[in-house]
Each structure stands twice: as C-alpha cells, then as structure tokens.
Amino acid sequence: MTRVTLDFGDTMQRDAVPPVSADVIFPSSRFPNYKIGPNNQIMEVKQDSKALTMKEVVARETAHLLEQQKRLSVRDLASKFEKGLAAAAKLSDEAKMKDAASLEKHVLLKKLRDALEALKGRVAGKNKDDVEEAIAMVEALAVQLNQREGELIQEKTEVKKLATFLKQASEDAKKLVEEERAYARAEIENARAAVQRVEEALQEYEQMSGASGKQDMDELMKEVHEARRIKMLHQPSKVMDMEHELQALRVQLAEKCKYSIQLQKELARKMCEETVSQLYELDGTEALGSFLHIQPCSLAASELSECTIQWYRLACEGGKQEPISGATKPVYAPEPFDVGRILQAEITYGDQTTSVTTAGPIDPAAGLGNYVEALVRRHDIEFNVVVVQMDGTDHTSETIHVLHIGRMRMKLCKGKTSVAKEYYSTSMQLCGVRGGGNAAAQAAFWQVKTGLSFVLAFETERERNAAIMLARRFAYDCNIMLSGPDDRAAPGS
C-alpha cells in the first residue's frame, strides 16, 4: 500500500515516479471495496464470492413466501409476514451500510483523481500518458460506481415496497387472526349455551320419565293385583268357598225377602178388604236383578191385555209420580236407576183406574257395587251379548256379540267387525228393557245415536246391571248424563 499525501512537490524532486505500464490488467471489472484503516491506510475488503446480491435475496424470500402461502394457516401466515418484515428491515439496514460504503468510495475516487491530476502537471512524456490513462480508468470506475449506485437505489426502492407490503400484510393478518379468534369465541359460547340447553332438556326429560314411569308402575301394580284377584276367583281356594257361601246366603236372603214381601202384601190385602177390594197385585222380588209382574187377585179384575198400563217412579211414598217412558207392559225389570225409589203401576180399564205399588224402595243387588268397582279399574270392559232387536225389528240370528264399554266410548263387535261404535254423547241412551217377559231382567236398550238402536240380552242379570252402571259412570266422567228415554237423573245418581 502507498500512502497518499497532498504534498507532491518535494517528493517528485527527491524521488522520480516510476513509469506505469500500459499492459496493466485488472483482476475484476468492478472497483474493489476499500475502507480506511488505522493511520489513514486504505485497506481492501475481501468479498465472499458465494454471497448473494440483495435482489437475489429478496426474490428468493418472495418465492418462498408465495410457495408456502396456500398451506399456511392464518396464524402461521402472520408469523411468516412478521419474519419477512424483519428480513426486510435487515436488508434496509444493509442497504444503509452499503450507502455509507459507496460514499467512502466516491471520496476515495475523488482523492485519487485529484492526486493523478496533480501528478499529471509534474510529469512529462510517456509517464504523462500513463497518468492520463490512469485518470481515464478512474473516471471509468466512477461511472461504474454510479451505475452500481443506481442499481442499489432501485433495489432499495423495491426493498421499501416489499417492506411496506409485508407490513400491511402483517397488519391484515393480525386483524384476520383477531376476527377469527372473536368468531371462534362466539361459536364456543353458542356451543356452551346449546350444551347447557340440551343438558336442561335431558334433566327435564329424565324427571318426566321418572314420574311417568312411577305412574305406569303404580297402574301396572293395580292391574297385577286385579289379575291376581280374578285368578283367585277362578281357582278353587278358600276365597272361592267364601264366594259360594255368600251366594248361598244371598239366595236365602232373597227368599226371606220374598216371603216377607208376600206377608206384607197379605197384610195389606186383609187391611184393604174392609175398605176397597184389591183387584191386582205385584209379584216378584222388589230388588235389582229381578222383575215385577202384575197379576190379578180378584175375579172382578179385567184381563190385563184389555187394560192400559203405565209404570211410575216415586221418590217416596205419596211423592210425585215420574212416568217411565215405554214401560207399558205387565212385566217390568228394575234397573240401577230405580234403586232407592218406589215403583208404582197404574192399570186403566175404561173409566176405572187402579194402581199397585211396591212395599218399599227397590233394594240394590247384593255384591254388585264391589263387582262394578273392580271393573272400573280396567280401561275396557267386555260383555258377551246377543242382539235381540235392531231399530225395533226382531233379530233372528243368535250370534254372540261382544259389547265393549270404555272410558270414552261404547262399541259392539261381531268377531273382528265393528257393528256399532260411538263416543258418549247427549243423543246416546242406555237403560233396562221396559217389558219383555221373564227375560227382561237380562236385557238392555241401547240407542247408539238417533236412528240406530239395539236390544241386547246379557248372560246374567248381574252383567246387565253392571254394564249399565259402568257406562253411566264413564259417561258422567265425560259430563254426559246417560239414561233411558225421557228419564231424569236422581240427585246423587
């Protein structure tokens, strides 16, 4: 290295400048990088041949970002943008350092050119030509340096644009991340609310299921107890023996009652012989499940077929008469509606009218109330019946039908075919048959609706009365008063 000073006069006089050869070959077309060392020594900076230019670094980072953009999540993309922004800041710092180095190069070139200009005035001949050629080379290096500075300025502008773009992209990515985070929080809150609603609905359903299950269990237990009771009734056991004994006692009681009624009638007849002679009398047990028959008891009595008969109900002896619509036959079978009332029949022949009255109110059938209470626990009760009449016309077929009495409606079936079914309504009527001979106690009149009616014969008097009581009880639960034609409900019935 040669130290350059400003004092050239004394030096040229003491030591001649060695000639510069024209065959000088520079190792590179670029002006080497120099830096000023200690004691103003100019030192050349060795450049790494493998180092990339700023443009190549920017192009490589941009391509790498574009390649990974599609497969990066929002958060990763924001992180990459922040890294790219840091890289751009680093490149900007490097560009500032290169600007400082470029400024130093201009200063060195200017000093070198000034030194060569001063040297040119001191030499002559061939040395002067070498100095001029050196000056031309310095100017060429200055031109190359200016071009390189232009490229650096362009690269710097591109780096600034990229840094601005990356900064904006980073801000957009942060905003997008915040929006996604807020949306995710809202979705999480909605999911929590939905889960809470589902849990509340599940708890409510479990509570309702437990309550309904307990109710179903109670009903099932009642049905099991009823089934056990019915099973015990159909099996030879002590209960069955007690039933037989009770039945025997009922028969004996009925006989005693009949005998007592006959004694009362004989007593009443003897008491009336002194006043007015009795033409007719009532024969039969005055209790539910039997029938009453008007019979003449005097030779002066007219034939019943020539007389007009009308049956009445009386709340008490001497009370107001309530006519029983359709009861115009010598035979009448009391029905549940007559229990606790006095029955009276008026026989009219020409201008003469006489009446016969029961000795007291109609008694209920023994054990019928308990039988009905046991049947009420079921949802549907079935009775085997035979259709005797349909719409007032005799029914010749004696096929067994099934009468279903439910809580909401009644239905008559023949096998699997429904002959008639109807919900309880004000147009429906049900009562005992008012007349019909000795079988009247087992028959019932059922008007399904206006224009459709049946006379049904049951297997026993007990089933006929139980069917009437059940149907009236279920109809009453539906706010329907089920009775016979023109009947009025008694208080408490």
Side-chain angles (χ1 to χ4, degrees):
M1 285 289 180
T2 304
R3 183 176 181 181
V4 179
T5 60
L6 297 177
D7 188 7
F8 291 101
D10 298 334
T11 306
M12 291 299 296
Q13 291 178 0
R14 293 194 304 267
D15 189 8
V17 178
V20 179
S21 173
D23 299 332
V24 175
I25 299 175
F26 292 94
S28 175
S29 61
R30 297 178 59 187
F31 192 83
N33 292 332
Y34 295 96
K35 70 176 182 178
I36 299 175
N39 300 325
N40 292 328
Q41 293 288 334
I42 298 175
M43 301 178 64
E44 183 178 358
V45 179
K46 294 184 179 181
Q47 296 183 0
D48 190 1
S49 60
K50 296 182 180 180
L52 298 176
T53 63
M54 185 180 297
K55 186 183 292 185
E56 291 175 350
V57 171
V58 172
R60 185 181 66 179
E61 293 294 331
T62 304
H64 185 63
L65 287 174
L66 293 175
E67 181 181 0
Q68 294 184 351
Q69 183 178 5
K70 292 183 179 180
R71 64 173 186 261
L72 290 177
S73 63
V74 176
R75 186 175 296 178
D76 295 337
L77 186 60
S79 177
K80 290 295 182 180
F81 281 150
E82 291 177 356
K83 291 181 179 179
L85 186 62
K90 184 178 180 181
L91 292 176
S92 178
D93 294 338
E94 292 180 357
K96 291 180 181 180
M97 293 177 63
K98 288 185 178 181
D99 288 341
S102 176
L103 181 61
E104 292 178 356
K105 290 177 183 179
H106 279 288
V107 172
L108 292 174
L109 284 176
K110 187 175 183 306
K111 289 182 178 182
L112 181 59
R113 190 174 183 282
D114 292 341
L116 290 174
E117 288 290 341
L119 184 61
K120 180 180 176 181
R122 297 175 182 274
V123 297
K126 187 177 182 180
N127 292 332
K128 187 175 181 180
D129 295 335
D130 293 337
V131 171
E132 290 178 353
E133 186 176 357
I135 291 172
M137 291 178 64
V138 169
E139 291 178 352
L141 289 175
V143 172
Q144 291 180 2
L145 181 61
N146 290 331
Q147 292 178 356
R148 179 59 180 168
E149 287 179 353
E151 293 177 357
L152 289 175
I153 292 172
Q154 186 176 0
E155 290 179 358
K156 183 178 179 181
T157 303
E158 292 178 357
V159 169
K160 288 182 178 180
K161 290 181 180 180
L162 180 60
T164 304
F165 171 75
L166 290 176
K167 185 176 181 180
Q168 184 64 31
S170 178
E171 293 177 356
D172 294 341
K174 289 181 179 179
K175 292 180 180 179
L176 185 60
V177 168
E178 293 297 330
E179 291 177 359
E180 292 294 332
R181 186 176 297 169
Y183 179 74
R185 289 175 180 174
E187 290 294 329
I188 291 172
E189 293 297 329
N190 293 335
R192 289 177 178 174
V195 169
Q196 186 176 1
R197 290 195 299 269
V198 170
E199 289 179 353
E200 292 177 355
L202 184 59
Q203 292 177 359
E204 184 178 359
Y205 175 75
E206 289 178 352
Q207 293 177 358
M208 293 177 63
S209 299
S212 61
K214 185 178 181 181
Q215 184 177 1
D216 294 340
M217 183 62 69
D218 294 339
E219 293 180 357
L220 183 60
M221 290 297 293
K222 291 180 180 179
E223 292 182 359
V224 168
H225 289 313
E226 180 63 19
R228 288 178 178 175
R229 192 189 67 82
I230 295 174
K231 184 177 180 181
M232 291 176 65
L233 290 176
H234 290 80
Q235 287 182 351
S237 62
K238 293 182 179 180
V239 177
M240 198 66 181
D241 296 338
M242 293 176 65
E243 285 287 342
H244 288 303
E245 293 179 1
L246 288 174
Q247 186 67 25
L249 291 174
R250 288 171 188 158
V251 173
Q252 294 179 7
L253 181 60
E255 293 177 354
K256 295 293 184 182
C257 290
K258 186 176 182 181
Y259 180 70
S260 175
I261 292 171
Q262 289 178 355
L263 291 177
Q264 290 178 3
K265 290 179 179 178
E266 290 179 359
L267 180 60
R269 189 184 306 117
K270 289 180 179 180
M271 292 176 63
C272 293
E273 284 179 354
E274 300 177 356
T275 56
V276 181
S277 60
Q278 188 74 19
L279 299 178
Y280 302 95
E281 66 177 357
L282 289 177
D283 185 20
T285 305
E286 298 177 359
L288 187 63
S290 63
F291 63 92
L292 300 176
H293 188 196
I294 302 175
Q295 290 183 350
C297 61
S298 174
L299 296 176
S302 303
E303 290 292 334
L304 292 175
S305 59
E306 299 175 358
C307 300
T308 303
I309 301 173
Q310 178 62 54
W311 289 83
Y312 296 91
R313 296 189 187 97
L314 285 76
C316 61
E317 189 174 356
K320 183 179 179 180
Q321 291 181 335
E322 180 184 337
I324 303 174
S325 178
T328 59
K329 303 293 183 182
V331 177
Y332 178 77
E335 62 156 295
F337 205 58
D338 299 323
V339 174
R341 297 187 179 188
I342 297 174
L343 295 180
Q344 185 180 75
E346 286 188 352
I347 303 99
T348 304
Y349 179 75
D351 295 336
Q352 296 181 359
T353 302
T354 183
S355 62
V356 289
T357 308
T358 57
I362 300 298
D363 296 325
L368 181 61
N370 295 332
Y371 179 62
V372 172
E373 289 298 327
L375 295 178
V376 166
R377 300 173 185 174
R378 304 181 188 176
H379 295 282
D380 187 33
I381 303 94
E382 299 178 358
F383 296 97
N384 294 328
V385 297
V386 175
V387 178
V388 179
Q389 289 184 358
M390 180 175 180
D391 294 333
T393 305
D394 292 340
H395 201 270
T396 57
S397 176
E398 295 184 358
T399 307
I400 295 178
H401 293 62
V402 178
L403 179 64
H404 297 265
I405 299 179
R407 297 185 179 274
M408 301 295 294
R409 67 178 183 179
M410 294 177 62
K411 180 172 65 173
L412 181 64
C413 296
K414 181 181 178 181
K416 295 183 179 180
T417 305
S418 295
V419 179
K421 61 180 179 179
E422 186 71 17
Y423 288 93
Y424 297 116
S425 63
T426 55
S427 62
M428 182 181 292
Q429 296 179 0
L430 181 66
C431 63
V433 170
R434 296 167 179 181
N438 299 336
Q442 300 179 14
F445 171 78
W446 179 36
Q447 178 178 297
V448 183
K449 56 185 176 181
T450 304
L452 179 61
S453 62
F454 297 92
V455 175
L456 306 175
F458 290 79
E459 293 181 346
T460 62
E461 298 86 352
R462 187 184 190 188
E463 290 190 355
R464 174 256 207 179
N465 294 321
I468 295 175
M469 293 175 67
L470 284 171
R472 288 176 177 173
R473 182 164 180 172
F474 292 152
Y476 183 78
D477 293 339
C478 299
N479 295 325
I480 300 296
M481 191 62 64
L482 190 60
S483 60
D486 301 327
D487 285 345
R488 292 182 299 175
S493 63

